[in-house]
Amino acid sequence: MNTSAAAQHLGEHLDHLAAGFSLLHLASSAPERVASWDAIVLTAASPQQAELYRLQLQLARQRGRIAARTLTLVAPDPDGKRIGSGGATLSALRLLETTHPGRDWPRRRVLLIHAGGDSRRVPWANVIGKLFIPLPLLADAEQMPTLFDHLLALAAHAALALTHGGLLTLTGDVLPLFNVARLYADGAASDGGVVVTAPVPLNIAGRHGVIIADGAGGVRDLLQKPSPAEVIAAGALVGGAALLDTGVYAFHGAAFAGLMALATDAIDPMAELLRDGRECSLYEEIAAALVPARHVWLATRPLGARLIAAIGACRLREHRDPGFRFVHLGTTGEVLDHLSATWQGRMERRILAECGAAVDESAVIGASQLAPGTGVGRGSLVVASRLGDAVRIGSRCVVLGLEAEDEPLRLPDHCCLWQIPLAGGQVATVCCGVDDNPKDELKTATFLNRSFTSWLSSHGVSADEVWAAGESRTLWTARLFPAQARPANLGLVAWMLAPGAGPFAPEARENQAQNLHMWRSAERHSFASLHRVMDPAAVLARQETVTARLVLRQVLRSLDGALDRNLAALAEQLALPGERARLAALGDAVPEPQAGSSGAVAVPASRLHQIRADLYAAGSERGSALAVAAEHHAARAFNAVQDEVARAIAAPLALAGTVSGVRAGERARSELPVRFDLAGGWSDTPPYCLEHPARVVNFAMRLDGELPIGAEVEALDAPRWELFLDGRGSTVITDTAFLGRPADLADPYILLTTALAISGYGDANGITQGVRLRTWSRVPKGSGLGASSILGAAVLAALQRLAGRAADPHTVSDLVLVLEQRMTTGGGWQDQIGGLFPGVKLIESAPVRPLKLRIEPVPLMPAVQAEFESRLVVVFTGQERLAKNVLQLVVKRYLQRDRRILQSIRELVVLADDVQRALALGDLDGVGAILGEVWQAHQQLDPHCSNPTVDAMLRAVADLAVGAKLAGAGGGGFMGVLAKDAAAAARIAQVLPASFPGARVYPWSLWLG
């Protein structure tokens, strides 16, 4: 594969992975819309590893990676004995059924990750579990993602596609980069098994399993680590390459049911394996059961006959992905190589970290506090550690869970150093070389990047002190690492790291005899035994303690204005209740905003109130006094936005004053279109538009051949307001004292009375000018077409004209902003601009005071306009928007500095530029693709912007469309579907009303003024 093609594939894979993280968010936030796994099961090598995995799963669920509805289980190998990946698969399925019986698991979604193993080539990962190795690809600043998180993101696409259930199996030391959604798109595994394959050169194939395809999507035979000659002789070549068995397997229908039946058989298949001391492989024995050509061989293998009886009638197919890529974390060197790669700029290198200038920019620092003078070399990894000024970490090193704040320490290049809390309260400080292979025998083994025999000699240690008689003499079994009381004395590990008699560490030479005596006197452990004596709960508690300390420091720095972080997300990192209580106490330290401040302050009042709300919420129980205080400050934050908007708008100041003396019978009228937003919506919403450049593309349109929104006002000679809502009743108002109280959103006339007040027709003290005001809005309620704001614009325009005041679109738009803030509904400027200015336009604002809007028409050639009008189908979904608090929720998340919100709105601003360009060029297919991207961004802003019915409508016309989105904030209302052509548009207009009761297609046209 050439470089450009490889880069393109990688970019596509990373986009697919990022989309998977978005699906995880949606599955957790809106489970009614996005399917998640019914069960996630991990295999483990021992009870200790299983306990560690259970704790890690709890953290993953707490941090939003696993949906609330998903069951999680860990299945250790029985009695800690190896039964192979196939045996572990059956053991996991048996555990699933025995602990949660009667759920018809073959019809449910099950993700199985094989994560057992002792991690000999990545020994430091034993402390956290190899599956949970840090992998800050597509990370954010508040949370260090792991390999497990990325596997969940990849598999999220599969959970969505498995409408009839199925089993997906992955391995716990590889991140496979491929489009997993395509695995199910062709229905290849509808009633059997499927293996993902990738064409590779023969030299690579010789180290793995190889699939022999039958040319029709099926698997004809299997090879294990074949030579090139064997591949050729077997007829396994595909264009000069072999088909690699990637280890990704899926089972559906009868195959999944057969495996479950075998796993739960009264004659336990795992007991049979344990009795015979044999292993069964998923990639050999179970795969072979689905390939008739392997049945003769399989009959002699462990569980072979039973596998053939259970699933032998099903078939294995292959799903080929030429762009498939492995991220294999099989050795420490591979881990560091992957972390050092650029990954097209998507690898983060500082995640919840404090460090100084002495840390190389290529090093990855996660959940760690490093003193300003701590040095870390190129390409190193430091996680869950606290290091002082006297610590020097070399290049290409790994440091995990190390406490070294006061002692000097120098870790040579290419070394690993980590601490393991042990049962009983002790701790072991462990080290090795990055490229040491613990499997090697003494005569060929290296330790700390030198000959192991040389290390023993230079440190005065005999082989008999390290291994018992008759014991296999490998680095894995060498009892090298002393157990110490906490906190550990790092002098011993400094002695181990030193070259012995050389000049590297003279202080270690001087105390060599003393250190050797201490080493000999201590209880010592090997890599192998450490795994059995570590304390999993203490491992996670130590990690959480470091995280908590960092979170608290980040909060304090945010309070003094040095940082602008998402404190709510930081609080989610805290698993310890006591640490959360400390966060709540910090809420009292948040300064109270000064009343009447200019708004030109470092931290706006709205942000300060939200910070206090987040801190109180972090440490409070539901219904407690702190929880009530959190809600109070959250409300004050939203109200503060209204004040900030009012100060940002110049027009109301120039138009101050009351209206009176208008001759009775004088009239004014305003009729306006609705608007449909194409891209950029939400960027116009305060306070975002007060602090960032905002950009929206929308267009004004007639519905059913008319301007559907309007207002008519007539002056009266009596001090009363006669208010008429078209088809919804009327009222007469003479007492306006209610205008001095907080807005009542339940009042159907609140828009009219508030508009009259800000236009100067009266206030809380009384009415200065009587009027009869009639309004109409001939669009369904909750349309998403900006009807409420545009109705406000129509009312204000009519009132301004009646008073003889400016009623130009710019003035009216500013007044609508004030109207919505006074009503406490919030809202931005795009709705009223969309209805006040004709045609398609790009609307921009800059974060200056007063707020200035620039409206740039997007010219459409007559043929493009005609095609656009013929291809865009405007449909009322029949779903009234139920998300009345969407605006408040999005504003809250913005004030919290939610990274997903900020990123999504920035993306929408860019997409507004893209859609303007595509429209101007007449590229309507490009417009459709952009609409799809806009819709995806909206779902990250608000997971409830759609619902199952709307999702079904979008799926029903997906083959006929190039793009679609709901209007406005979504949640229901109107949908715009850009069809592939006019014929497809006509078909869409037939399909949706016929298939979805309440749906209605509206004739529409651009309003050009």
Side-chain angles (χ1 to χ4, degrees):
M1 188 184 302
N2 62 52
T3 303
S4 60
Q8 180 180 351
H9 280 305
L10 177 59
E12 292 172 353
H13 293 329
L14 294 178
D15 288 342
H16 186 67
L17 201 57
F21 275 108
S22 297
L23 283 176
L24 288 181
H25 170 66
L26 290 172
S28 179
S29 304
E32 74 282 359
R33 289 188 52 218
V34 178
S36 55
W37 295 101
D38 293 293
I40 297 173
V41 188
L42 309 184
T43 65
S46 66
Q48 293 87 351
Q49 189 177 66
E51 179 59 22
L52 179 63
Y53 285 173
R54 289 188 192 99
L55 294 171
Q56 292 280 22
L57 287 170
Q58 289 176 14
L59 284 177
R61 190 187 298 277
Q62 175 184 316
R63 291 168 180 169
R65 300 300 196 199
I66 300 175
R69 64 177 293 273
T70 300
L71 170 71
T72 57
L73 287 174
V74 183
D77 285 348
D79 302 324
K81 297 179 180 178
R82 296 298 184 85
I83 55 176
S85 56
T89 298
L90 296 172
S91 176
L93 295 180
R94 188 178 185 91
L95 178 66
L96 191 61
E97 176 60 29
T98 55
T99 56
H100 296 82
R103 297 200 180 184
D104 194 11
W105 286 110
R107 293 184 180 275
R108 294 182 179 269
R109 301 170 172 92
V110 179
L111 174 63
L112 173 60
I113 302 179
H114 286 285
D118 47 26
S119 187
R120 297 192 184 196
R121 297 301 305 273
V122 195
W124 52 272
N126 255 328
V127 186
I128 52 176
K130 195 171 183 180
L131 180 60
F132 298 92
I133 288 176
L135 186 62
L137 186 59
L138 305 173
D140 59 41
E142 273 75 41
Q143 183 172 327
M144 169 71 88
T146 65
L147 171 60
F148 176 64
D149 294 324
H150 286 77
L151 288 176
L152 289 181
L154 178 87
H157 296 279
L160 193 63
L162 282 170
T163 55
H164 300 295
L167 171 69
L168 176 66
T169 70
L170 302 172
T171 55
D173 62 352
V174 172
L175 173 60
L177 293 178
F178 73 110
N179 191 323
V180 71
R182 294 175 187 158
L183 177 62
Y184 301 96
D186 57 6
S190 57
D191 197 37
V194 60
V195 57
V196 178
T197 65
V200 296
L202 296 185
N203 63 317
I204 295 177
R207 302 194 294 269
H208 303 277
V210 168
I211 299 297
I212 304 178
D214 64 7
V219 173
R220 179 164 56 86
D221 209 344
L222 309 171
L223 300 174
Q224 286 298 322
K225 299 182 178 179
S227 66
E230 289 172 325
V231 173
I232 295 170
L237 284 179
V238 178
L243 290 180
L244 177 73
D245 177 348
T246 66
V248 179
Y249 276 78
F251 302 90
H252 306 81
F256 188 7
L259 286 174
M260 182 62 76
L262 174 59
T264 57
D265 192 88
I267 303 175
D268 185 353
M270 279 63 71
E272 181 179 332
L273 292 174
L274 291 172
R275 184 190 65 231
D276 296 340
R278 304 176 75 183
E279 297 184 17
C280 171
S281 169
L282 167 65
Y283 318 107
E284 295 182 60
E285 280 82 7
I286 290 182
L290 302 173
V291 180
R294 304 297 297 166
H295 284 185
V296 173
W297 168 85
L298 179 59
T300 65
R301 304 292 300 165
L303 301 180
R306 297 180 68 181
L307 282 167
I308 294 171
I311 60 174
C314 300
R315 295 293 172 262
L316 182 66
R317 299 181 63 82
E318 56 115 359
H319 173 78
R320 196 174 307 175
D321 192 321
F324 188 97
R325 178 167 176 168
F326 276 114
V327 180
H328 188 214
L329 305 181
T331 68
T332 298
E334 286 180 323
V335 172
L336 293 175
D337 288 346
H338 289 310
L339 293 180
S340 297
T342 61
W343 294 100
Q344 298 184 351
R346 307 199 202 193
M347 181 72 77
E348 295 285 344
R349 307 198 180 277
R350 303 290 184 271
I351 303 94
L352 194 59
E354 293 183 7
C355 53
V359 176
D360 190 271
E361 63 180 13
S362 68
V364 173
I365 315 295
S368 294
Q369 183 184 347
L370 278 57
T374 305
V376 180
R378 176 181 52 81
S380 290
L381 169 67
V382 179
V383 180
S385 298
R386 297 208 305 253
L387 309 179
D389 284 305
V391 175
R392 299 290 180 271
I393 307 300
S395 297
R396 198 167 173 259
C397 291
V398 174
V399 174
L400 173 68
L402 183 64
E403 298 278 348
E405 292 187 281
D406 302 319
E407 295 187 67
L409 181 70
R410 184 179 296 271
L411 183 65
D413 293 347
H414 312 297
C415 285
C416 305
L417 184 63
W418 66 102
Q419 288 182 320
I420 304 178
L422 306 178
Q426 293 183 306
V427 64
T429 306
V430 189
C431 56
C432 68
V434 164
D435 299 305
D436 293 341
N437 184 353
K439 298 179 182 180
D440 288 346
E441 298 284 341
L442 174 60
K443 61 182 178 181
T444 58
T446 61
F447 180 51
L448 295 169
N449 305 316
R450 60 189 297 192
S451 161
F452 195 6
T453 56
S454 173
W455 184 91
L456 292 171
S457 174
S458 64
H459 284 73
V461 175
S462 71
D464 291 338
E465 293 179 278
V466 177
W467 293 282
E471 188 175 17
S472 173
R473 296 194 170 190
T474 66
L475 179 57
W476 183 252
T477 58
R479 289 185 294 277
L480 293 169
F481 309 110
Q484 297 180 288
R486 300 178 190 172
N489 178 354
L490 297 182
L492 270 181
V493 77
W495 167 74
M496 296 180 70
L497 292 168
F504 178 73
E507 71 281 0
R509 271 201 321 277
E510 295 171 5
N511 298 304
Q512 186 170 6
Q514 180 181 356
N515 285 321
L516 180 58
H517 174 73
M518 291 174 58
W519 180 85
R520 284 173 171 160
S521 302
E523 178 188 9
R524 299 190 309 277
H525 295 281
S526 64
F527 287 128
S529 64
L530 281 167
H531 179 67
R532 296 191 296 270
V533 298
M534 72 174 179
D535 183 344
V539 170
L540 270 296
R542 177 191 62 190
Q543 178 178 314
E544 289 307 299
T545 300
V546 176
T547 298
R549 183 171 176 176
L550 284 162
V551 167
L552 291 170
R553 288 171 62 87
Q554 299 280 24
V555 169
L556 289 170
R557 292 179 66 190
S558 293
L559 293 182
D560 66 17
L563 288 177
D564 195 21
R565 298 289 292 276
N566 184 347
L567 303 189
L570 284 171
E572 289 178 359
Q573 304 307 300
L574 300 181
L576 306 178
E579 300 296 347
R580 289 193 168 220
R582 291 179 64 190
L583 274 188
L586 287 175
D588 296 330
V590 180
E592 184 71 20
Q594 296 300 310
S597 61
S598 65
V601 294
V603 183
S606 56
R607 170 71 172 147
L608 289 174
H609 284 302
Q610 189 61 56
I611 287 174
R612 180 170 285 183
D614 291 340
L615 292 176
Y616 286 155
S620 62
E621 299 293 332
R622 185 184 298 274
S624 67
L626 273 180
V628 173
E631 293 176 1
H632 169 72
H633 282 281
R636 291 186 67 185
F638 192 76
N639 292 336
V641 172
Q642 302 164 30
D643 297 333
E644 291 158 16
V645 171
R647 288 194 296 271
I649 299 172
L653 301 178
L655 299 173
T658 60
V659 176
S660 63
V662 181
R663 189 173 62 188
E666 288 287 324
R667 296 176 180 230
R669 182 183 177 93
S670 176
E671 291 182 283
L672 292 174
V674 287
R675 68 96 187 99
F676 195 98
D677 57 305
L678 295 174
W682 286 114
S683 72
D684 65 303
T685 303
Y688 185 90
C689 68
L690 304 181
E691 300 173 6
H692 304 273
R695 198 169 296 123
V696 177
V697 172
N698 68 25
F699 62 89
M701 64 179 181
R702 297 175 180 270
L703 285 182
D704 277 337
E706 66 175 359
L707 297 177
I709 293 175
E712 184 175 64
V713 60
E714 176 185 355
L716 301 177
D717 57 5
R720 69 177 186 274
W721 293 340
E722 299 177 6
L723 308 179
F724 296 83
L725 298 175
D726 189 23
R728 290 182 289 165
S730 63
T731 190
V732 176
I733 293 177
T734 56
D735 180 1
T736 57
F738 69 91
L739 290 172
R741 298 190 289 269
D744 178 10
L745 293 179
D747 177 5
Y749 301 97
I750 184 174
L751 185 148
L752 279 59
T753 55
T754 308
L756 284 160
I758 68 173
S759 298
Y761 284 72
D763 54 28
N765 296 316
I767 294 172
T768 60
Q769 176 61 57
V771 294
R772 179 178 295 117
L773 177 57
R774 183 173 70 88
T775 65
W776 58 92
S777 177
R778 299 187 177 104
V779 293
K781 184 179 179 182
S783 68
L785 298 177
S788 177
S789 295
I790 295 172
L791 180 60
V795 170
L796 287 165
L799 292 172
Q800 289 289 101
R801 289 172 187 151
L802 184 66
R805 293 177 170 176
D808 62 279
H810 286 283
T811 299
V812 173
S813 172
D814 282 351
L815 286 170
V816 174
L817 270 178
V818 177
L819 171 70
E820 294 193 328
Q821 302 308 321
R822 293 275 183 89
M823 291 167 55
T824 73
T825 55
W829 40 249
Q830 77 128 327
D831 291 349
Q832 57 267 30
I833 292 292
L836 289 165
F837 289 82
V840 185
K841 56 268 183 190
L842 170 69
I843 318 159
E844 297 178 290
S845 72
V848 297
R849 306 294 190 275
L851 190 68
K852 294 183 182 297
L853 296 176
R854 187 177 75 88
I855 295 91
E856 178 184 339
V858 179
L860 299 184
M861 297 293 289
V864 174
Q865 177 183 330
E867 183 183 358
F868 184 51
E869 291 177 337
S870 70
R871 288 177 59 179
L872 183 69
V873 183
V874 174
V875 188
F876 179 61
T877 62
Q879 304 282 304
E880 182 180 325
R881 290 177 55 202
L882 300 177
K884 62 180 180 181
N885 294 322
V886 168
L887 176 67
Q888 288 91 332
L889 291 173
V890 171
V891 168
K892 172 185 175 181
R893 289 173 61 196
Y894 171 75
L895 291 174
Q896 289 176 324
R897 299 304 188 256
D898 184 299
R899 190 172 189 259
R900 195 181 300 275
I901 286 283
L902 294 171
Q903 182 176 330
S904 296
I905 298 180
R906 283 195 294 265
E907 182 182 352
L908 288 168
V909 170
V910 173
L911 291 171
D913 278 337
D914 293 344
V915 82
Q916 177 205 28
R917 188 178 306 109
L919 277 169
L921 294 173
D923 178 13
L924 295 188
D925 287 348
V927 170
I930 296 166
L931 289 183
E933 294 182 59
V934 170
W935 182 234
Q936 292 301 318
H938 274 252
Q939 294 182 75
Q940 293 307 302
L941 279 161
D942 172 30
H944 301 284
C945 69
S946 186
N947 57 55
T949 298
V950 169
D951 291 340
M953 294 176 75
L954 291 170
R955 287 194 298 269
V957 297
D959 292 341
L960 298 167
V962 293
K965 69 179 289 291
L966 292 189
F974 275 73
M975 174 192 298
V977 183
L978 191 57
K980 293 179 177 179
D981 50 39
R987 180 63 181 150
I988 292 170
Q990 294 174 340
V991 168
L992 291 179
S995 305
F996 298 92
R1000 178 189 167 188
V1001 174
Y1002 276 72
W1004 74 276
S1005 61
L1006 283 173
W1007 177 64
L1008 302 177

